[in-house]
Amino acid sequence: MTITSREVTIRKVIGRKTVKDKVYTYTYYTLPLNLYIPKSVVEKYGMEFIVERDEERGTITIRPKKQIQP
């Protein structure tokens, strides 16, 4: 079983778009593999995550580095 794991930090990307002389700004969060992370997940768990790749199954698992206790 070949599972590789590493700690990653989410990047906050702020963009701009101009439509008919009006400028719109947007914010989104991504991981190094260009995986989109919803804002609500970032607000709940923070910016540190663990990415695990399973070579045999071909799956990627993303878990928060710190779990919030209920």
Side-chain angles (χ1 to χ4, degrees), residues 6-7 11 17 20-21 23 25 27 31-32 62 68:
R6 64 182 180 145
E7 295 180 10
R11 288 186 305 139
K17 186 168 184 161
K20 296 184 181 179
D21 299 330
V23 178
T25 59
T27 304
L31 287 172
I62 302 168
I68 294 178

Side-chain angles (χ1 to χ4, degrees), residues 9-53:
T9 303
I10 293 180
R11 288 186 305 139
K12 180 178 181 179
V13 179
I14 300 173
R16 289 188 201 200
K17 186 168 184 161
T18 305
V19 177
K20 296 184 181 179
D21 299 330
K22 189 168 183 180
V23 178
Y24 296 93
T25 59
Y26 54 90
T27 304
Y28 63 95
Y29 301 91
T30 64
L31 287 172
L33 299 172
N34 287 334
L35 298 172
Y36 169 76
I37 303 294
K39 182 179 178 182
S40 61
V41 173
V42 174
E43 290 173 348
K44 186 173 183 180
Y45 295 108
M47 302 285 279
E48 300 291 322
F49 283 78
I50 296 173
V51 175
E52 294 179 343
R53 283 185 17 207

